[in-house]
Each structure stands twice: as C-alpha cells, then as structure tokens.
Amino acid sequence: NAGVTQTPKFRVLKTGQSMTLLCAQDMNHEYMYWYRQDPGMGLRLIHYSVGEGTTAKGEVPDGYNVSRLKKQNFLLGLESAAPSQTSVYFCASRPTGAFYGYTFGSGTRLTVV
Amino acid sequence: GIQVEQSPPDLILQEGANSTLRCNFSDSVNNLQWFHQNPWGQLINLFYIPSGTKQNGRLSATTVATERYSLLYISSSQTTDSGVYFCAGYNNNDMRFGAGTRLTVKP
C-alpha cells in the first residue's frame, strides 16, 4: 500500500525555469488536491480535482497549472518559477463523500533561487 | 470570508502535562478535522469531528458546531506528541486549514 506518492522530494530551480510535480495515488480516490505550506502558515489550497479530467482553482492558483489525465495521477506545473514559489508542496487525495478519508503525500520541498 | 483560526500559536509543555488546543471557524466552514504534522513533515489525520466528542487514546476532540469552535485535548503528553496541530474545515469542495499550533513536549 503506497498511498499517496510525491516525486520529486526535493528540487532547486532557477528563476524562470519550469518543472512538474507528480502526485500518484493507488487508492482509487476521486478527489485530489495540491497544497503549499509556508513557514508559520497552514496549508493553502492551490488547485484540486474532483475526478479524472477535471480541475478547479483553489485559494492560491496563480503561477500554477494542473492536469488530471489519469485518475491516479495529479500533476502540478510551474511554467516560470519565481522565488515566491519556494515552499513545501503537499498532495492529498480522498474518496467521494468521505471527508474523513484524507491521505497526504510526504511533501516536495521546492527552492527557487 | 472563510476563516479557521487556531490558538495558541505555540505551546511548550513538560512531558506528562495536559493541554487544550482551540480552533474557531467561520459560518461557511463545516466537516471539521484535526491533523498532526510530525517533525518530519508527515500529515496524519487525528479526528474527523463535525460535531460532538471523540476519543482516541490520550487524545480527544470536541466540536460545538453551533458556536463554531473545536477543541483538541492532549492528556499525559509525550515527546512524540511534538509537532504542529492543524484544524481544517470544508468550504464547498476544498478544505481550508488554520495556521496551526506548534507543540513542543520536553522530556
């Protein structure tokens, strides 16, 4: 049981570079989420998906894009990284209707220099 | 707007002490949950508690939905309880988090 797997775990980017963070879940969950966590703050929602082929904006979507081409994968893209995007990124998933069934990945620590 | 506010922001305890963490939430928030983030960054569900009281070992939680607050009780704290405790609530399809309470339990 892998649960929610995030890759990579660490990454350093230069300003203006692009990258994609991958979130994979093997629990057949419909809902998937991307959050960012900054020091002294709670997690803030970037984008989410309620099923394969769907995406929606969260609280802080600017500068990010997402895709959910397969049910088990949720990709977060940074087209032109900025220092303000230095953060720890968490992916989560849950089954439909089960608000208690949240499972988080272990996080990706991204530094933009 | 949507608000989830936690107090205190920081808490330092001696091992064996008890503590109460508080979460206040706005009208548009429901389906409240408590999470623990350990010192290695892993987030773990503690309680799903939209209302009422639940207990799990030394931890228990109470949500009074009509008064828009939830409490997390930690009894006989241990060093392994250290980390950040978050409450979070739903607004439509997404979950909004409070800023957390950082708990340090000293041996």
Side-chain angles (χ1 to χ4, degrees), chain A residues 33 35 37 45 94 99 102, chain B residues 33 37 45 90 93-94:
Chain A
Y33 304 84
Y35 290 88
Q37 184 179 24
L45 183 66
R94 71 168 176 90
F99 295 105
Y102 256 75
Chain B
Q33 301 190 62
Q37 186 173 39
N45 281 317
Y90 268 88
N93 280 319
D94 62 88

Side-chain angles (χ1 to χ4, degrees), chain A residues 73-94:
Chain A
N73 296 336
F74 195 29
L75 279 64
L76 178 70
L78 286 73
E79 290 187 348
S80 180
S84 61
Q85 294 177 304
T86 294
S87 190
V88 180
Y89 291 85
F90 286 96
C91 176
S93 71
R94 71 168 176 90

Side-chain angles (χ1 to χ4, degrees), chain A residues 31 33 35 37 40-43 45 48 50 58-59 90 94 99-106, chain B residues 31 33 35 37 40-45 48 84 86 90 92-100:
Chain A
Y31 288 69
Y33 304 84
Y35 290 88
Q37 184 179 24
M41 302 180 71
L43 280 70
L45 183 66
Y48 64 98
V50 301
E59 190 180 357
F90 286 96
R94 71 168 176 90
F99 295 105
Y100 52 84
Y102 256 75
T103 303
F104 281 87
S106 57
Chain B
N31 290 306
Q33 301 190 62
F35 294 86
Q37 186 173 39
W40 296 272
Q42 185 66 35
L43 282 152
I44 306 296
N45 281 317
Y48 168 69
V84 183
F86 292 103
Y90 268 88
N92 295 323
N93 280 319
D94 62 88
M95 190 161 62
R96 299 296 177 99
F97 283 74

Side-chain angles (χ1 to χ4, degrees), chain B residues 43-89:
Chain B
L43 282 152
I44 306 296
N45 281 317
L46 294 177
F47 294 103
Y48 168 69
I49 185 156
S51 64
T53 298
K54 291 185 178 179
Q55 181 159 5
N56 184 2
R58 297 180 296 104
L59 274 59
S60 64
T62 295
T63 296
V64 183
T66 54
E67 297 185 25
R68 317 304 297 179
Y69 73 89
S70 184
L71 303 174
L72 179 68
Y73 306 95
I74 304 174
S75 65
S76 303
S77 58
Q78 300 176 358
T79 56
T80 52
D81 295 332
S82 295
V84 183
Y85 290 82
F86 292 103
C87 69

